[in-house]
């Protein structure tokens, strides 16, 4: 039992490896995956030796490809070629910075002395020679790494093409029909040999069971089996109840709780059954008693159990028979009840498919046995799908008949999927009975695979939409925190949720479409390699688009905008209010610094995306033509806005007067300025008008307000007394300034009146109208008290006498 203490580490490593569904055991033993890795061996292994080793591995793969053409080796060869490409790329990324460092040191040393010039010091000359040698060596290694990367990529593409050709050949190959006698006679002839091939496997499995029952392994095996049973039955039930209680307690009511519970219930079924299979395998092979082939076979079965449990859990969560209110799709309760066992049956069919396929590969099954098993599996899977479609249709009709109303209409894509599935079932059965068993098996597998992908996409789409709608809702706790912390408007949060949900939906759809390609002979590595090659080779002019660099640039730009917004808010609310600057100057500083900061952030994002200004020269040329024809006014207004912010002939809060416009400046934007008129309406004025037209800034430079009063008095008024009354009123008002002192002058004398004009100054032009009204009320009261009436206009009335001496209507004269 001295091995037992090491088992926790083996258990953890095995669980992690088994979670990777697409990994193959052969890759773990692939020598290319453990050698020449720059991340771990770059500090101890010479790059030249590592690149030579990778080149040798690539030559071995090419030789193997030219001599073998079966599908299983092609998968292994593709993985090995992809590993060589990845490691060569890693060496290239490791050597390039070293080359830049050597070049920078040579640049610091400068050029070598010319012939006839004074020689440089010996240590500098020796350092220059050493750096030159290092540069030449690195250049050779970088070129070799680049060639290796390109050759490996070409070889991977060639392997994929070869595999696709073999795949298409298999689909068009016709074998015997199960309805013919020859089909079964061939199976009977090969049955003894296949039985003989299966006996060693059965013996090895039985021997593994006997070894697991040995005293040294018996207790761990029993404990692992008990743990597996506890995981499947009470463990899953307890996990679901715990998650349900947590969701009810911590998760807000709404769509998010429903979609989150659907995902968690899918994971509980997948992980409970999958980890139970892991525990059973660990107990069965506790002290590594199994042969390598049998252990590989058992591990592949465990991976199939994971996938089968995922199919069953996914269907169970979507049907949600026990909790109809949590059901994501619009399925009637009767339909869900009729379909409740089909997810488990389809998962079991996939598990059976995995066991049979791997058993045939391990035992080297004959062609008749392989054809027969695939025919039976094709009929089983397509039959289950067809039965589920018929059961759903029958339940829907029964529900409509009982309710006396038409059944609810489904979405167009649901009807299309159902129609295609029905057609695929018919094609699979016809293909099998006609003799195209490979094609029928392919269609059956595609139905299972596409159904799983579509169901997963449907669930994840609902989850991300509900999650974003909840987190970014203006009424949620997180939304209110975002509004309070960053000053984001409620409408902006709703718009962000919609935009992010659409982006994630598109990404999920792209991933789903790419995943659907996997059964056609591709793999995730092929998919992402193809996407990377397409984008890495996509050039617009001199600009090369790299998806990773673009993604990093978007992140840098988003983080930069958040930082700029935070700094602007800190300046506007904390720092600048504590200074002696007026409000207009504070707003101008915040706005101008915001523009500069956004330009800097945009430049950093371009640098992160590996975009140089030289590569954008064509864009600048196109923009210059556009500016010359149609963007002159926009650019003029933009430059004028910058001038207004820098020189500040006007600022926020100023009272300005222009031809046809008079009001207070409320905001200076990049293109135009907002002016609030006296009726509280807002007029948008282009910035260029502030530069090119005459402008009167009433409040510029702390200007004083001027109050002017003109009062007409009768000719018999005592002028000195009138002047004294007006001066007393002007001086008595608390808003008027003593300096300049108020004045009263006699401006005009006419045949009917003489006009007295009083002038006083106040602190601001905005006070002039209010103070003028107060002064008029005060002067009128003083004049009334002194019994000095204001002059009234005289009118003349002309009357015309009629023939009988009656007055005609009077006309004012």
């Amino acid at each position: 039992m001295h091995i037992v203490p090491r088992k926790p580490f083996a258990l953890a490593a095995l669980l992690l490896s088994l979670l990777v569904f697409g990994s193959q055991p052969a890759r773990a033993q692939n020598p290319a995956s453990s050698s020449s890795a720059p991340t771990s061996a770059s500090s101890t292994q010479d790059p030249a030796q590592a690149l030579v080793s990778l080149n040798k591995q690539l030559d071995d793969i090419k030789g193997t490809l030219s001599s073998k053409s079966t599908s299983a080796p092609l998968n292994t060869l593709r993985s090995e070629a992809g590993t060589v490409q990845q490691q060569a790329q890693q060496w290239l990324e490791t050597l390039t910075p070293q080359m830049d460092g050597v070049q920078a040191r040579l640049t610091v040393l400068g050029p070598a002395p010319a012939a006839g010039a004074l020689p440089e010091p010996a240590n500098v000359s020796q350092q220059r020679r050493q750096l030159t040698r290092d540069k030449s060596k690195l250049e050779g290694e970088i070129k070799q790494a680049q060639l290796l990367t390109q050759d490996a990529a070409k070889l991977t593409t060639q392997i994929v093409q070869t595999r696709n050709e073999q795949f298409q050949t298999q689909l068009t190959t016709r074998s015997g029909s199960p309805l013919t006698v020859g089909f079964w006679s061939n199976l009977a002839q090969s049955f003894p040999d296949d039985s003989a091939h299966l006996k060693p496997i059965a013996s090895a499995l039985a021997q593994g069971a006997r070894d697991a029952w040995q005293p040294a392994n018996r207790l761990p095996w029993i404990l692992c089996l008990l743990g597996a049973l506890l995981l499947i039955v009470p463990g899953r039930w307890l996990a679901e109840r715990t998650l349900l209680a947590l969701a009810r307690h911590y998760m807000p009511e709404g769509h998010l709780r429903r979609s989150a519970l659907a995902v968690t219930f899918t994971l509980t079924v997948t992980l409970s059954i999958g980890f139970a299979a892991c525990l059973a395998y660990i107990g069965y092979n506790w002290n590594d008693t199994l042969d390598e082939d049998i252990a590989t076979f058992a591990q592949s079965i465990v991976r199939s159990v994971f996938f089968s449990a995922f199919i069953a859990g996914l269907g169970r969560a979507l049907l949600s028979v026990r909790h109809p209110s949590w059901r994501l799709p619009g399925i009637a309760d009767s339909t869900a009840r009729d379909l409740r066992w089909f997810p488990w049956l389809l998962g079991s069919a996939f598990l059976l498919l995995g066991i049979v396929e791997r058993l045939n590969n391990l035992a080297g099954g004959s062609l008749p046995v392989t054809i027969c098993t695939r025919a039976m599996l094709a009929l089983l899977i397509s039959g289950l799908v067809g039965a589920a479609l018929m059961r759903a249709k029958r339940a829907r009709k029964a529900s409509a008949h009982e309710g006396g109303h038409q059944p609810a209409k489904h979405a167009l894509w649901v009807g299309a999927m159902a129609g295609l599935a029905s057609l695929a079932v018919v094609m699979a059965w016809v293909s099998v009975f006609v003799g195209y068993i490979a094609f029928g098996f392919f269609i059956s597998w595609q139905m299972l695979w596409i159904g799983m992908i579509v169901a997963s996409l449907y669930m994840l789409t609902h989850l991300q939409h509900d999650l974003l709608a909840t987190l970014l809702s203006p009424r949620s706790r997180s939304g209110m925190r975002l509004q309070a912390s960053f000053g984001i408007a409620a409408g902006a949060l709703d718009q962000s949720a919609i935009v992010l949900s659409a982006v994630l939906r598109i990404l999920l759809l792209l991933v789903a479409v790419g995943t659907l390609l996997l059964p056609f002979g591709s793999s995730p590595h092929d998919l992402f390699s193809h996407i990377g090659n397409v984008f890495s080779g996509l050039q617009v002019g001199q600009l090369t688009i790299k998806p990773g660099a673009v993604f990093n640039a978007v992140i840098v730009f988003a983080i930069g905008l958040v930082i700029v917004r935070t700094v602007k808010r800190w300046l506007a609310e904390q720092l600048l209010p504590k200074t002696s600057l007026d409000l207009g100057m504070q707003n101008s500083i915040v706005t101008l610094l915001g523009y500069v900061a956004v330009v800097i952030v945009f430049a950093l994002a371009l640098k992160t995306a590996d975009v140089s200004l030289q590569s954008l020269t064509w864009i600048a040329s196109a923009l210059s033509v556009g500016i010359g024809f149609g963007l002159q006014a926009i650019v003029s207004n933009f430059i004028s806005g910058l001038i207004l912010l820098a020189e500040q002939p006007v600022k926020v809060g100023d009272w300005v007067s222009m031809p046809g416009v008079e009001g207070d400046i409320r905001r200076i934007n990049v293109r135009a300025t907002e002016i609030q008129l006296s009726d509280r309406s807002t007029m948008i004025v282009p910035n260029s008008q502030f530069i090119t037209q005459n402008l009167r800034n009433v409040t510029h430079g702390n200007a004083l307000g001027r109050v002017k009063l003109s009062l007409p008095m009768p000719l018999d008024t005592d002028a000195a007394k009138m002047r004294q009354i007006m001066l007393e009123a002007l001086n008595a008002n608390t808003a008027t300034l003593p300096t300049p002192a108020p004045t009263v002058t006699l401006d005009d004398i006419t045949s009917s009146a003489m006009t007295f004009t009083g002038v006083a100054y106040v602190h601001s032009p905005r006070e002039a109208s209010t103070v003028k009204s107060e002064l008029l009320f005060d002067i009128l009261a003083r004049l009334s008290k002194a019994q000095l009436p204001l002059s009234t206009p005289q009118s003349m009335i002309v009357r015309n006498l009629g023939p009988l001496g009656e007055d005609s209507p009077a006309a004012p004269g």
Side-chain angles (χ1 to χ4, degrees), residues 252-485:
E253 295 183 0
H255 296 286
L256 178 60
R257 180 186 294 182
R258 183 183 61 176
S259 56
L261 287 176
V263 174
T264 54
F265 287 168
T266 303
L267 293 178
T268 53
V269 174
T270 304
L271 297 180
S272 61
I273 298 178
F275 281 138
C278 287
L279 286 176
Y281 167 75
I282 291 171
Y284 185 67
N285 191 29
W286 182 254
N287 280 329
D288 298 330
T289 57
L290 295 178
D291 294 337
E292 183 178 353
D293 294 338
I294 301 298
T296 302
F297 171 74
Q299 292 173 7
S300 64
I301 298 303
V302 171
R303 287 193 291 271
S304 298
V305 170
F306 265 105
F307 198 90
S308 303
F310 178 75
I311 293 176
L314 182 62
R316 176 176 175 268
L318 290 178
L319 293 177
S320 187
V321 178
R322 296 184 178 179
H323 304 281
S325 60
W326 301 346
R327 190 179 301 139
L328 290 179
I331 301 176
D333 295 343
S334 58
T335 305
R337 285 193 299 269
D338 291 342
L339 298 178
R340 63 183 180 275
W341 294 111
F342 280 94
W344 299 97
L345 294 176
L346 289 173
S348 302
F350 177 83
L351 179 60
L352 179 62
L353 185 151
I355 294 175
V356 171
E357 287 291 313
R358 287 168 176 80
L359 191 59
N360 284 336
N361 294 333
L362 181 62
S366 62
L367 182 60
V369 170
T370 303
I371 293 176
C372 180
T373 53
R374 290 196 171 186
M376 297 301 106
L377 288 172
L379 294 177
L380 175 62
I381 295 175
S382 58
L384 287 174
V385 175
L389 292 173
M390 294 177 61
R391 184 72 64 86
K393 185 177 181 180
R394 189 184 307 117
R396 191 181 181 193
K397 289 183 177 180
S399 176
H401 180 71
E402 293 175 0
H405 55 80
Q406 292 293 331
K409 294 183 179 180
H410 293 298
L412 178 62
W413 67 270
V414 176
M417 290 288 296
L420 291 176
S422 302
L423 180 62
V425 169
V426 175
M427 291 180 62
W429 278 66
V430 171
S431 299
V432 170
F433 287 119
V434 169
Y436 291 96
I437 295 177
F439 184 67
F441 178 77
F442 170 75
I443 293 177
S444 302
W445 164 242
Q446 287 303 300
M447 285 191 293
L448 188 62
W449 179 258
I450 293 175
M452 188 272 296
I453 295 299
V454 171
S456 302
L457 176 64
Y458 180 81
M459 180 180 293
L460 292 178
T461 301
H462 275 272
L463 178 64
Q464 62 86 17
H465 179 269
D466 297 338
L467 181 62
L468 290 174
T470 302
L471 292 179
L472 298 181
S473 175
R475 296 174 297 276
S476 64
R477 183 180 303 176
S478 58
M480 289 187 290
R481 287 183 178 178
L482 289 174
Q483 295 179 72
S485 301

Side-chain angles (χ1 to χ4, degrees), residues 218-262:
R218 184 180 305 169
L219 181 60
W221 191 24
I222 294 175
L223 293 177
C224 287
L225 291 178
L226 290 176
L229 292 175
L230 291 175
L231 275 177
I232 293 177
V233 184
R236 179 167 60 87
W237 181 85
L238 181 62
E240 290 181 354
R241 294 301 179 273
T242 303
L243 292 173
L244 178 59
L246 292 176
R248 288 177 175 174
H249 185 70
Y250 294 103
M251 193 171 293
E253 295 183 0
H255 296 286
L256 178 60
R257 180 186 294 182
R258 183 183 61 176
S259 56
L261 287 176

Side-chain angles (χ1 to χ4, degrees), residues 640-659:
S640 300
L642 296 180
I643 294 174
L644 292 177
L645 292 173
E647 292 187 356
Q648 287 195 332
V650 294
K651 58 182 180 295
V652 176
D654 283 356
W655 178 6
V656 296
S657 178
M658 300 174 62

Side-chain angles (χ1 to χ4, degrees), residues 652-783:
V652 176
D654 283 356
W655 178 6
V656 296
S657 178
M658 300 174 62
V661 181
E662 182 173 358
D664 298 329
I665 294 179
R666 292 306 180 197
R667 188 175 182 182
I668 301 176
N669 297 317
V670 176
R671 188 193 66 84
T673 297
E674 300 177 6
I675 298 179
Q676 188 177 41
L677 305 182
S678 58
D679 59 356
R680 313 302 292 178
S681 62
T682 301
M683 179 170 287
I684 309 299
V685 180
N687 290 331
S688 58
Q689 294 188 15
F690 289 89
I691 305 299
T692 59
Q693 295 184 5
N694 295 329
L695 172 70
R696 176 172 173 257
N697 192 338
V698 181
T699 57
H700 183 66
N702 297 324
L704 299 178
R706 182 170 177 264
V707 180
K708 182 178 180 181
L709 306 174
S710 295
L711 298 177
M713 300 298 294
L715 294 175
D716 58 351
T717 302
D718 187 350
K721 188 175 182 180
M722 180 64 188
R723 180 176 180 276
Q724 181 182 0
I725 291 175
M726 291 184 65
L727 283 177
E728 290 177 353
L730 294 176
N731 290 320
N733 193 289
T734 57
T736 58
L737 299 177
T739 303
T743 60
V744 176
T745 58
L746 182 59
D747 281 350
D748 192 15
I749 298 177
T750 63
S751 60
S752 60
M754 51 183 178
T755 304
F756 291 87
T757 301
V759 176
Y761 291 90
V762 293
H763 290 89
S764 171
R766 300 184 186 280
E767 302 178 6
S769 59
T770 303
V771 174
K772 181 178 181 180
S773 175
E774 294 176 355
L775 289 174
L776 288 175
F777 279 112
D778 188 17
I779 292 175
L780 289 177
R782 293 174 182 269
L783 292 177

Side-chain angles (χ1 to χ4, degrees), residues 534-548:
V534 170
F535 280 99
S536 61
L538 182 59
Q539 289 189 348
V540 182
Q542 299 180 353
L543 178 62
T544 302
I545 299 177
K546 300 178 181 179

